[in-house]
Amino acid sequence: MTNLEQYYLTEEHHLFRNSLRDFLDKEVVPFVDQWEIDHQVPKEIFRKFGEMGYFGLTQEEKYGGSNLDFWYDVIFIEEVSKSNSGGFGASISAHPYLSMSHLKHEGSDFLKDKYLPKAISGDWHGALAITEPHAGSDVANIKTTAKKDGDFYIINGSKCFITNGVSADYIIVACKTANGISMILVEGNAIGLSKNNLNKLGWKASDTAELAFDNVKVPITNLLGEEGKGFYYIMQRFELERLTLALGALASSEWALQYALQYMNERKAFGKTINKFQVLRHRIAQMAAEIENVKTFTYHVCKMYNDKNYCVKEASMSKLLATELSDKVAYQCLQMFGGYGYMEEYKIARFFRDSRLGTIGGGSSEIMCEIIAKMVIDDVSYGRQTTVDSPKQKELNIEDIISSLPNRFKKEKANGIEMTILFEFENDLYYQIEIKNQNIVLSTVDSRQSTVDLTITTTTETYIAVETGKLNPQEAFMSGKIKVSDLGKMMQFGSLFKKYN
Ligand SMILES: Cc1cc2nc3c(=O)[nH]c(=O)nc-3n(C[C@H](O)[C@H](O)[C@H](O)COP(=O)(O)OP(=O)(O)OC[C@H]3O[C@@H](n4cnc5c(N)ncnc54)[C@H](O)[C@@H]3O)c2cc1C
């Protein structure tokens, strides 16, 4: 155990790490090269992990879990990341930390009873499908729809880059429903769902799918949490996803450093082993210091998470620093091998490819910076969204916001202003507002009106986010999430209302 590990972990954690290492040495290390070729981890491996209880470390006992503390998950992620197959690590972790974590937190009792025991035992494994061909970082812009039809949802659309998407027995899919994004469980063999395994630069052992949904019919009981709350659920779960990516990046960097040191101790140039060259020694020292530094911070974030503190800022910082560092370590460690580093038979080549995904997946480095910037510059604070919401949050929808406009109307500012405004939302939803003689009249209309003075085109979700202070209006406007026909009139209109609270 390192000093840092000793500080945070107990003897039991240490024993768990040792037994997990033994298991990985026996069941994974000898086979991982074949899985890299197959572009898939065999189903049987998920069962073996399930039998060992690895998927239920922090899950409730009633579903077959062990209800342990988060440090067991930390150790699990670290050790699988040292197997030098980013694809294997991604596949085996996407199941518990992406798909199962949504089931655990947002799943109804019905869904948990039905799916969690199978997921924990490894009989079934899952995927999380958010990204679409035209919406990755911009999650709110997804287009896949789920329309209610009696007791069913009919899902149409497509997803891309979905880890385990081809092999998964169940997929948690982010869809657009009538009032925003919703998370819906779709079984892997659903009729109308087609899958294609994508060819990638790295992460070869995991299957990464392109999914097409053609009138896929699922019962409405497959909805996770509440309709329209999906965006918030995704944001909440990102906290764990980012932390796992940071831990994985650090553990694999540690592995790469040890691997390079081993080589440097054997390789000779100019009559001595290359670990004697000061320039290389300093590079190693610098990397070791940086890894230890970021790991110390990340362990602190793990403690916050384990203690149930909300740590989206800190997890985003960890993810940013750890994945960027991993790329630097991959680059510099490969350099230590000279030409051999470029050869497939040396493990560093795979690490070099696999590491590259860290700064892209689960929110790119640029998106991490955006989130951190909002918190440290704009004082935006992200709170934890509970699944049991206050009555006010529960009822919040576009009607509430629009119908609150007359109450928020600053009559005194409307002297001499006459204008007709049309709100144009998705699914042909229109509201018309007439301002005249310091009065405001609100009505719904059936179609687009050409005679209005100002048209505001946006989605209900964006508008709610702006009105409730979750999205900066300027940002929404600049990014094209809100389009207006006349900017001057829009500013005049905006000045006539108090904030929604
Ligand atoms: C191997 C692999 C596995 C994956 N697994 C999953 C999975 O299991 N489930 C899932 O849902 N998704 C998955 N993804 C998708 C991944 O999360 C997205 O690729 C990622 O979020 C980036 O989205 P994008 O690819 O659409 O890039 P884009 O969003 O198009 O971004 C392109 C570039 O623009 C930058 N950019 C975008 N917006 C901004 C901004 N506001 N400011 C500054 N820069 C910006 C980005 O940082 C990036 O550099 C996976 C991806 C890969 C490659």
Side-chain angles (χ1 to χ4, degrees), residues 94 98 127-138 159-164 200 202-203 206 208 241 357 359-367 370 475:
L98 296 190
L128 175 68
I130 299 172
T131 307
E132 298 188 356
H134 301 289
S137 306
D138 188 6
K159 297 282 170 186
C160 69
F161 308 149
I162 307 307
T163 303
N164 291 347
K200 310 184 289 289
W203 278 29
S206 62
T208 304
E241 184 179 350
L357 197 265
T359 63
I360 299 168
S364 64
S365 289
E366 291 77 10
I367 295 300
E370 275 297 294
E475 195 186 330

Side-chain angles (χ1 to χ4, degrees), residues 181-242:
I181 295 177
S182 300
M183 306 302 280
I184 298 174
L185 187 148
V186 177
E187 292 199 0
N189 61 0
I191 296 168
L193 171 60
S194 47
K195 310 158 177 189
N196 175 32
N197 200 355
L198 298 164
N199 199 7
K200 310 184 289 289
L201 170 72
W203 278 29
K204 297 271 187 196
S206 62
D207 62 275
T208 304
E210 201 171 42
L211 304 173
F213 297 81
D214 180 10
N215 288 316
V216 174
K217 190 173 174 180
V218 297
I220 50 173
T221 45
N222 281 19
L223 173 74
L224 279 91
E226 288 174 46
E227 244 197 30
K229 289 274 168 70
F231 187 76
Y232 302 105
Y233 299 149
I234 293 168
M235 295 300 135
Q236 301 298 312
R237 299 301 138 242
F238 270 160
E239 189 190 20
L240 174 64
E241 184 179 350
R242 285 169 192 160

Side-chain angles (χ1 to χ4, degrees), residues 185-304:
L185 187 148
V186 177
E187 292 199 0
N189 61 0
I191 296 168
L193 171 60
S194 47
K195 310 158 177 189
N196 175 32
N197 200 355
L198 298 164
N199 199 7
K200 310 184 289 289
L201 170 72
W203 278 29
K204 297 271 187 196
S206 62
D207 62 275
T208 304
E210 201 171 42
L211 304 173
F213 297 81
D214 180 10
N215 288 316
V216 174
K217 190 173 174 180
V218 297
I220 50 173
T221 45
N222 281 19
L223 173 74
L224 279 91
E226 288 174 46
E227 244 197 30
K229 289 274 168 70
F231 187 76
Y232 302 105
Y233 299 149
I234 293 168
M235 295 300 135
Q236 301 298 312
R237 299 301 138 242
F238 270 160
E239 189 190 20
L240 174 64
E241 184 179 350
R242 285 169 192 160
L243 207 41
T244 61
L245 288 163
L247 287 163
L250 290 165
S252 49
S253 297
E254 282 179 327
W255 171 89
L257 203 66
Q258 286 310 316
Y259 183 55
L261 281 174
Q262 207 181 311
Y263 181 81
M264 291 166 75
N265 193 36
E266 290 159 9
R267 179 71 177 173
K268 284 192 174 146
F270 300 94
K272 51 186 175 181
T273 54
I274 60 170
N275 64 2
K276 297 286 185 299
F277 294 120
Q278 192 183 42
V279 65
L280 303 187
R281 293 167 68 85
H282 283 195
R283 237 179 253 170
I284 291 284
Q286 181 75 30
M287 284 189 277
E290 289 182 28
I291 293 171
E292 184 83 12
N293 201 305
V294 181
K295 185 172 170 179
T296 304
F297 174 68
T298 303
Y299 265 42
H300 166 70
V301 186
C302 292
K303 179 162 170 28
M304 287 178 75

